[in-house]
Amino acid sequence: MRVTLLGTGDTTGTPTVGCDCDTCEAARARGVERTRFSVHLENERTDESLLIDFSPDFRYQFLREDVPLPDAAVVTHIHFDHLDGLGNVFRVIDELDVYAADETDPETGKSVAETVESDYHYLDPVTVHPTTPLEPVRICGLDVTLAPVTHPPLVCYGLAIEDPETGAKLSISGDTSYDVPEESRAVLDDPDLLLADAIVPAHLCEFHPIGGHHENDEGVPRTFGTKHMTREGALELAAELNADRTRLVHLAHYYPAEEAFEEPLAIDGEQYDL
């Protein structure tokens, strides 16, 4: 399968609108972007495409990367930067199967699937498929498993996507703290490629109103606040999952300019053949 990173940024992306910080200026000078998060997969065997999350930058991302429009999609959670691009399929896609978790979120009283269906009820091409976490489902010829992660206050899911014929595996951490449940770690384990949420480097935790959490033995915080991993936390998770290759995503423009484009921080447009 071919994996294209359509969007590797956080809620505001990099460059951020109206921002002249050193990192945003450096991104402009380099001609690189981190738009809001989204991942595109092509299954060459079946000639089908799968989209992970609907970035608000959907239209621009597909025009820029010139990848096929999706035959199906998965929504990991209902934050706007992962869902609000769904409206872009209007008059663009004739039929689209959208998979999302069927577990009720105590915060909203609805599952992710129910929220997608109710909020986008006007989109006739969309058929929502409530999906049980930790149970694989075949989508576009690939085995996709939702893995619950910790992203308070809303439920959120990582993903394992495997090609049943080649054994190639992509794992996506989802928006999460370092506190990924053991059963989900087992699902995400041993990927050829891991896309891990790493919103900022650990040294910036001092600027978060509640600081950092899940410190390692050296006292380095692996979670920034409560919702996202630090760079250091994401790399530790990658090592624990025995990832063959790791790219850090969902990156904020708060990375200092001298660190913002170092390996293994991803930028939009990267492609990987698994």
Side-chain angles (χ1 to χ4, degrees):
M1 58 179 151
R2 172 164 292 177
V3 180
T4 302
L5 309 188
L6 295 180
T8 56
D10 71 338
T11 309
T12 65
T14 302
T16 292
V17 173
C19 182
D20 60 359
C21 75
D22 289 346
T23 299
C24 288
E25 290 295 338
R28 294 184 183 100
R30 290 168 177 254
V32 299
E33 293 181 295
R34 291 178 174 135
T35 56
R36 274 73 67 88
F37 182 80
S38 187
V39 179
H40 184 274
L41 294 91
E42 294 177 66
N43 185 345
E44 299 94 334
R45 291 185 295 97
T46 64
D47 195 28
E48 293 176 294
S49 296
L50 173 64
L51 183 67
I52 309 303
D53 284 341
F54 291 93
S55 167
D57 301 304
F58 178 104
R59 175 183 177 275
Y60 173 64
Q61 291 172 344
F62 274 84
L63 288 172
R64 183 191 63 196
E65 302 305 332
D66 193 27
V67 291
L69 287 167
D71 299 285
V74 177
V75 174
T76 62
H77 65 298
I78 63 170
H79 277 153
F80 96 98
D81 54 324
H82 295 257
L83 176 58
D84 280 13
L86 178 54
N88 284 274
V89 308
F90 184 65
R91 294 183 180 172
V92 173
I93 298 175
D94 293 331
E95 295 181 5
L96 184 66
D97 293 314
V98 177
Y99 295 78
D102 62 2
E103 295 179 316
T104 299
D105 187 336
E107 186 73 17
T108 66
K110 296 191 290 186
S111 67
V112 175
E114 289 171 327
T115 297
V116 173
E117 190 162 36
S118 62
D119 287 4
Y120 292 90
H121 60 86
Y122 61 90
L123 290 178
D124 292 336
V126 171
T127 300
V128 178
H129 298 269
T131 303
T132 302
L134 303 176
E135 295 183 8
V137 58
R138 183 68 55 86
I139 311 173
C140 296
L142 303 170
D143 291 334
V144 179
T145 307
L146 293 169
V149 294
T150 307
H151 186 56
L154 300 177
V155 297
C156 184
Y157 302 86
L159 292 167
I161 303 168
E162 298 183 70
D163 187 321
E165 294 200 13
T166 68
K169 181 175 181 179
L170 168 69
S171 290
I172 302 174
S173 74
D175 283 15
T176 183
S177 76
Y178 175 76
D179 187 25
V180 178
E182 287 302 321
E183 62 268 26
S184 295
R185 288 175 180 247
V187 169
L188 301 172
D189 192 50
D190 204 27
D192 296 290
L193 175 65
L194 171 67
L195 304 179
D197 167 21
I199 195 163
V200 295
H203 62 80
L204 294 187
C205 287
E206 64 177 295
F207 299 106
H208 194 287
I210 61 173
H213 291 81
H214 304 124
E215 290 84 357
N216 63 18
D217 292 341
E218 287 73 43
V220 177
R222 293 175 287 193
T223 296
F224 180 69
T226 62
K227 296 183 180 183
H228 297 276
M229 287 187 288
T230 63
R231 173 183 58 195
E232 290 76 3
L235 291 176
E236 286 197 34
L237 179 67
E240 292 159 7
L241 294 178
N242 193 34
D244 186 58
R245 185 166 192 177
T246 300
R247 302 303 287 166
L248 303 185
V249 296
H250 208 279
L251 306 167
H253 70 127
Y254 298 119
Y255 272 88
E258 63 272 17
E259 302 177 38
F261 306 101
E262 294 181 343
E263 292 293 320
L265 277 63
I267 59 173
D268 288 10
E270 295 181 8
Q271 284 193 336
Y272 299 92
D273 289 311
L274 306 183

